[in-house]
Amino acid sequence: MTSRTENAPALPDTLWFTRCPVPTATGIAADQGWLGREFAADGIAVRSLQDAPPEVAADHHYTHALTGLFREGGNVPALWARSRGEATRLIGLTWIEERQVVLVRAGSGVTEPGQLRGLRLAVPHHGIGIDFWRAMALAGFRGALGLAGLALDDAELVDVPAVPGGGQWSAELAALRDGAVDAVYVKGALAVEAARRIGAQVAVELDAAPDRRARVNNGTPRPVTVHQRLLDDHPELVARFLAVLLEAADWAAERPAEVARILRAETGAGDEGVAGAYATGSHRTLHLDLTAERLELLALQERFLREQGLLAAPVDVQAWADPEPLRAARALVRERRTGAAGS
């Protein structure tokens, strides 16, 4: 048990975690049961927000209003929550290449970014508090057009209402199939499978661009955030949680087959979708960091989202980031490994 002083805040009964259906160290650790094991001796339950009843889960995956929550997911909701005044802190970033492409109809002849000029680009519209789908499409097209020195204004943005209960990208791909739009941005495992079902062709492969800035989007870079109150009251719990994620990333780096299995479960995609969405070696890229480069890329995303009217107020990414929990977590991992080696 962790020793507590008389004036220290009581330990929480439950720690919550949430992650997007994409490659995350949190997903790896959850699959292996390591998060629950880490805090069991303290009498702290560790639960996934995805498994919580609606009255508990609410919309906390997006708002992060639950103080005992760790979130590893898209940067659009994380930046949005911070811009609305939620007291979160950025404690880690990952960069995992998740296939990003612009699709067109077969036989269109569009094969390079410059040919997107003047085309009708699908921009989905979802009736949710923060439309991260719309943000992803806009950022994806911004990246693709930028490869040819173009901007969003050089194409026609076409609103595509989301289909209630439809799958990921279903409304946009249907609009492409039916000729209502000329191009669709997609990313990830399910998108690979959906595109193949309608026979769409890749016009722009954003993953091939040497400049990472072309691929800055909701999941690149992907933040880990925690509520300020939990960090203030129990910094040791935050460091221990991050230590588990660091160990999970190390474990994943040596086990590509296991990571592929977990990704199939996390994404809901099959072997073909997972293999097509995640490059060889992706299992070695789950480690958290707060490097200057990753913070600069996140700041680029923040500026874009603000320009698109998707943030309530500016977010100072440098001020939002707190590197101390990750430093403490790395020290804890080293200490544990030294102790294990000695014993």
Side-chain angles (χ1 to χ4, degrees):
M1 290 282 265
T2 303
S3 62
R4 312 294 297 169
T5 65
E6 289 186 6
N7 296 326
L11 289 172
D13 295 327
T14 305
L15 291 175
W16 295 91
F17 66 89
T18 183
R19 76 284 190 197
C20 291
V22 294
T24 62
T26 302
I28 300 290
D31 177 85
Q32 296 297 303
W34 294 332
L35 292 168
R37 186 179 68 188
E38 173 68 29
F39 298 99
D42 300 279
I44 301 173
V46 182
R47 299 181 61 191
S48 167
L49 197 64
Q50 280 76 18
D51 298 332
E55 62 271 18
V56 174
D59 58 353
H60 295 322
H61 178 76
Y62 304 107
T63 65
H64 206 139
L66 189 62
T67 57
L69 178 67
F70 292 85
R71 181 183 188 279
E72 184 173 4
N75 60 50
V76 174
L79 285 163
W80 173 75
R82 178 70 176 186
S83 78
R84 295 170 71 242
E86 197 60 58
T88 60
R89 293 306 295 270
L90 172 64
I91 55 175
L93 286 167
T94 63
W95 184 282
I96 299 162
E97 297 288 5
E98 213 174 357
R99 194 179 187 200
Q100 299 188 63
V101 299
V102 174
L103 300 173
V104 295
R105 285 185 299 280
S108 70
V110 179
T111 59
E112 57 186 42
Q115 292 175 296
L116 296 175
R117 184 195 291 272
L119 295 191
R120 298 167 299 167
L121 312 182
V123 181
H125 177 74
H126 295 251
I128 54 180
I130 175 59
D131 196 344
F132 60 93
W133 297 105
R134 186 177 188 85
M136 282 196 291
L138 290 169
F141 286 129
R142 181 271 313 265
L145 288 160
L147 295 175
L150 302 174
L152 289 174
D153 290 344
D154 291 306
E156 179 185 351
L157 303 181
V158 178
D159 277 351
V160 178
V163 178
Q168 295 180 16
W169 323 105
S170 59
E172 302 97 299
L173 290 170
L176 179 66
R177 180 197 61 210
D178 297 341
V181 300
D182 301 310
V184 172
Y185 162 85
V186 298
K187 69 98 178 170
L190 290 179
V192 169
E193 295 180 345
R196 287 180 178 157
R197 283 197 297 272
I198 70 163
Q201 293 183 343
V202 174
V204 181
E205 188 91 49
L206 285 165
D207 293 17
D211 189 344
R212 278 186 167 189
R213 290 175 294 182
R215 294 189 296 283
V216 169
N217 211 308
N218 185 42
T220 40
R222 183 174 289 120
V224 177
T225 52
V226 69
H227 203 280
Q228 182 73 63
R229 187 182 304 173
L230 182 64
L231 185 56
D232 288 343
D233 290 349
H234 302 289
E236 76 288 353
L237 296 185
V238 176
R240 287 168 61 192
F241 192 99
L242 287 179
V244 175
L245 300 194
L246 293 175
E247 291 167 340
D250 286 343
W251 179 89
E254 303 299 326
R255 296 169 177 83
E258 277 291 287
V259 172
R261 174 189 64 78
I262 294 168
L263 278 181
R264 289 193 294 272
E266 292 281 284
T267 65
D271 291 342
E272 183 182 18
V274 168
Y278 304 109
T280 301
S282 293
H283 62 287
R284 294 192 290 269
T285 63
L286 294 167
H287 292 86
L288 311 180
D289 215 326
L290 281 173
T291 62
E293 181 196 19
R294 288 185 182 175
L295 289 170
E296 288 167 7
L297 291 168
L298 184 61
L300 176 65
Q301 172 77 331
E302 186 277 338
R303 289 193 295 274
F304 177 73
L305 296 176
R306 187 155 32 93
E307 290 165 1
Q308 297 301 316
L310 292 167
L311 300 183
V315 175
D316 184 335
V317 168
Q318 294 289 340
W320 186 30
D322 184 350
E324 183 52 38
L326 193 54
R327 279 199 293 263
R330 286 171 173 157
L332 181 57
V333 170
R334 289 194 297 270
E335 178 184 326
R336 289 175 174 178
R337 287 177 178 168
T338 300
S343 62

